[in-house]
Amino acid sequence: MNKWKQMTMAAVLSFTALGSVFAGTGTHSVYAAANAVPSYEVKFIVKPEAVLTSNGQVQEDVIEKLGLNSSPQAIGVAYYDTDQLELNEQGWDVRFRKKEDKNNYELTYKKRYPIINGDIDAALSLANKEEFDASDDNYEAEIDWGYGKQTLSFSNTKKVSTNTAGTQLPSEQESLDLLLDKLPGKLEKWSSKGWGEEKLSQSRVYGPLTFYRYEGNWEGQELTLEVWPIRNSKGTGTENLIEVSFKTDDQEIATQLRSELMNTLDENGWLLPVDGLKTQLILERY
């Protein structure tokens, strides 16, 4: 066989092998990106009456046992959705936030996926089909791991410089204009082209409110305790929702320290055996 025939035969064989890869699978499966690799945020709700003083400060023994700083950081926050909560119904939350010690606003667009029966891979695969995958570095994948359930989320956070001091947020319309200006493509075209822009344009503010974050170090892990004064169900005042949490990229650390933190909170009579619903409560009560 001459050299030309050998080259031709090699090309045919290569093409045939490639065809066998595509056959029955489709080109998309060959080039599809891998599932996203999430980090973990472990969070528990604690009893306000057990951890706060009469004037709303965190008790000294709680600060000591959880390794918290005694001075909290104040953070202003508001959410945006339509009157019918159409964004939330599709798993989207849109948040506007200002930390008292920062010179920028944080605009966050978050898509949530429920994790059913602990099947994280199924949630990641569903998200992948909807273009939230390992190739997208605009979104941070995270598993929120509470008392009884897990939720997968993908967050896109953008910052806008400001000279505003403290936790003061812009007016409702100014905030909405900024959120629309930074609207990410995935939300903009979620159900159809322009859907996200249309729904966000029709949105109103839920809030605003100011919550307080205590930061510290527990078992070598950065840990936070947040006090959220949320309007009560009757609209006559506020009630505190208090969340203790830590974040890690390591699933084993998340699993191990989750058990230790739960035991610590429970042994001291602080733990509330429920899952956190702060975003949902704000959307329901404001």
Side-chain angles (χ1 to χ4, degrees), residues 127-173:
N128 193 327
K129 291 179 181 178
E130 297 182 337
E131 300 183 2
F132 292 97
D133 55 47
S135 70
D136 191 343
D137 56 7
N138 292 317
Y139 287 81
E140 294 185 3
E142 182 177 83
I143 293 173
D144 297 331
W145 194 353
Y147 179 80
K149 71 175 185 178
Q150 295 176 315
T151 303
L152 171 65
S153 67
F154 290 83
S155 298
N156 183 326
T157 298
K158 301 179 180 181
K159 297 183 180 181
V160 177
S161 297
T162 178
N163 295 322
T164 303
T167 63
Q168 183 178 351
L169 303 181
S171 69
E172 178 176 351
Q173 190 57 54

Side-chain angles (χ1 to χ4, degrees), residues 41 43 79 87-95 108-115 123 126-127 130 132 142-144 149-155 190 276-280 283:
E41 182 174 12
K43 55 180 66 175
Y79 293 83
L87 293 170
N88 185 257
E89 285 181 359
Q90 290 293 318
W92 284 96
D93 292 324
V94 177
R95 184 183 71 195
T108 300
Y109 310 81
K110 179 180 289 189
K111 177 69 175 77
R112 301 179 188 272
Y113 293 90
I115 296 175
L126 174 57
E130 297 182 337
F132 292 97
E142 182 177 83
I143 293 173
D144 297 331
K149 71 175 185 178
Q150 295 176 315
T151 303
L152 171 65
S153 67
F154 290 83
S155 298
W190 182 247
L277 300 169
K278 62 178 182 288
T279 301
Q280 204 63 38
L283 292 177

